[in-house]
Amino acid sequence: MNASVETGTGQPESRLAHFPITFFATVMGMLGLTLALHAGERAFGLSGLFSNTALIASVALLVTVAALYGLKLLTQFRMAAAEWHHPVRLAFFPTVSISLILLATALVGAHPALAEPIWIVGTVLQGGLALLVISDWIGHRDFKPGQMNAAWFIPAVGNILVPIAGAPLGYLEISWLFFSGGLLFWVVLLTLVMNRLTFHEPLPSRLQPTLVILIAPPAVGFIAWMRLNGAMDQLAMFLIHAAYVFALIVATQLPKILRLPFALSFWALSFPLAALTVATFVYAEEMGSAFHKGLGAGLLALLLVVIAVLVGRTGVAIARGEICRPE
């Protein structure tokens, strides 16, 4: 990959200046795969070989992406600040804290002592970023309806994720706080996003893959509720089936989405599918449903294909210099 790109003035500019915050979505996708593999291994009584391998790869990716974006903050702070003020990329900043929370979730079963400090850092960062993003949304910024998209769910999803590791670690009060805030904003944002999708112009092609994020809040909410409540009830049933409803809605849009040119936004397909896979395995175990166990296996197979294609296509895009360029 070339170290620089030509700007509109003909002057070379470091690719690092255009290293996007959206790269953390790749970390979310890989850690989602790790959790889905672990759920599948547990459902079928397999060893943790595959999920441990995915965990190692995810940690390596997280360290690499965090190091590169940290270097961007140090050397290209103006460009990083411009991302914060970007009406679309602003919602992706909590992917940093979500990555840490997902890592803690992947570690909590086997390594709770290691998971706890990572979860604490991730949760504090998630709380701060969520408040800052929401403050920007409702503050003086002049957002347009056309700038809204399903990526705006990301801060809410981060809040809903907190109890999945927080409850087993014993942080019940703070887990309820984040779960309540995340679920509340999911409902509010769902109304706004559906209004934008229905009554305004279609999403730009680069943002259309973010429609898959519609699946994530109810799927993650179901897993978190099961950790907090400990038993199947009406809210749990609503959340898991709401996730399936959104999955079916998104499926109607996939033929159009898959014809689009590749962009990093395609990684939006990975984590929601992983969350739905894990939720399906949790439901299968709780209800003793052989059908849902098989459905979970099918979703996991699909997730593996999606991740493989995304990794390969991202590698090709990096090699061709299609990523980390001015937009």
Side-chain angles (χ1 to χ4, degrees):
M1 182 172 68
N2 295 331
S4 63
V5 295
E6 290 293 325
T7 64
T9 62
Q11 297 297 316
E13 188 175 46
S14 168
R15 286 202 184 281
L16 187 63
H18 299 285
F19 186 82
I21 190 67
T22 50
F23 243 113
F24 279 94
T26 67
V27 181
M28 286 180 58
M30 288 300 299
L31 284 167
L33 173 63
T34 300
L35 294 170
L37 285 169
H38 178 72
E41 290 164 347
R42 176 174 173 175
F44 291 97
L46 303 176
S47 71
L49 173 63
F50 297 108
S51 60
N52 287 336
T53 302
L55 177 59
I56 293 169
S58 300
V59 171
L61 180 61
L62 172 58
V63 171
T64 301
V65 173
L68 288 171
Y69 203 81
L71 188 59
K72 175 177 177 175
L73 285 171
L74 291 174
T75 63
Q76 304 284 343
F77 183 78
R78 179 181 60 83
M79 298 298 290
E83 284 197 295
W84 178 264
H85 294 289
H86 192 281
V88 174
R89 291 189 176 183
L90 171 64
F92 282 90
F93 275 86
T95 57
V96 181
S97 52
I98 290 172
S99 296
L100 293 174
I101 294 169
L102 287 172
L103 177 57
T105 303
L107 293 170
V108 72
H111 307 284
L114 180 58
E116 185 171 10
I118 296 173
W119 179 87
I120 290 173
V121 172
T123 299
V124 170
L125 186 58
Q126 170 63 29
L129 286 172
L131 286 174
L132 287 172
V133 170
I134 294 169
S135 176
D136 245 17
W137 284 346
I138 65 177
H140 64 279
R141 294 279 296 276
D142 185 22
F143 289 105
K144 309 297 183 186
Q147 295 168 340
M148 169 164 275
N149 61 88
W152 283 39
F153 286 121
I154 292 174
V157 169
N159 284 5
I160 300 171
L161 273 169
V162 166
I164 300 178
L169 289 171
Y171 294 91
L172 289 176
E173 196 73 29
I174 195 71
S175 292
W176 274 107
L177 175 66
F178 276 83
F179 179 80
S180 302
L183 210 62
L184 175 65
F185 270 91
W186 170 51
V187 175
V188 172
L189 289 169
L190 179 59
T191 305
L192 296 174
V193 169
M194 291 304 295
N195 177 277
R196 185 258 182 270
L197 294 175
T198 305
F199 297 108
H200 297 274
E201 68 276 9
L203 287 172
S205 60
R206 294 174 68 89
L207 289 178
Q208 287 185 25
T210 64
L211 284 173
V212 184
I213 300 175
L214 287 166
I215 302 169
V220 173
F222 168 78
I223 302 165
W225 179 251
M226 291 302 296
R227 288 291 178 93
L228 287 168
N229 191 51
M232 189 68 64
D233 60 6
Q234 287 87 347
L235 179 57
M237 294 291 284
F238 166 77
L239 290 170
I240 185 68
H241 288 93
Y244 289 139
V245 168
F246 281 117
L248 292 172
I249 293 172
V250 166
T252 67
Q253 302 300 308
L254 279 179
K256 178 173 63 176
I257 292 172
L258 295 178
R259 289 195 296 267
L260 298 171
F262 178 79
L264 276 180
S265 57
F266 269 83
W267 276 91
L269 277 66
S270 58
F271 178 74
L273 180 56
L276 187 63
T277 303
V278 175
T280 299
F281 278 127
V282 171
Y283 184 85
E285 180 180 8
E286 186 68 24
M287 302 299 288
S289 171
F291 170 79
H292 285 86
K293 184 176 177 180
L295 178 60
L299 289 171
L300 179 56
L302 177 60
L303 175 64
L304 286 167
V305 172
V306 168
I307 292 289
V309 172
L310 288 172
V311 169
R313 191 60 187 84
T314 303
V316 170
I318 291 173
R320 292 177 177 173
E322 298 171 351
I323 293 177
C324 302
R325 298 183 63 86
E327 292 185 0

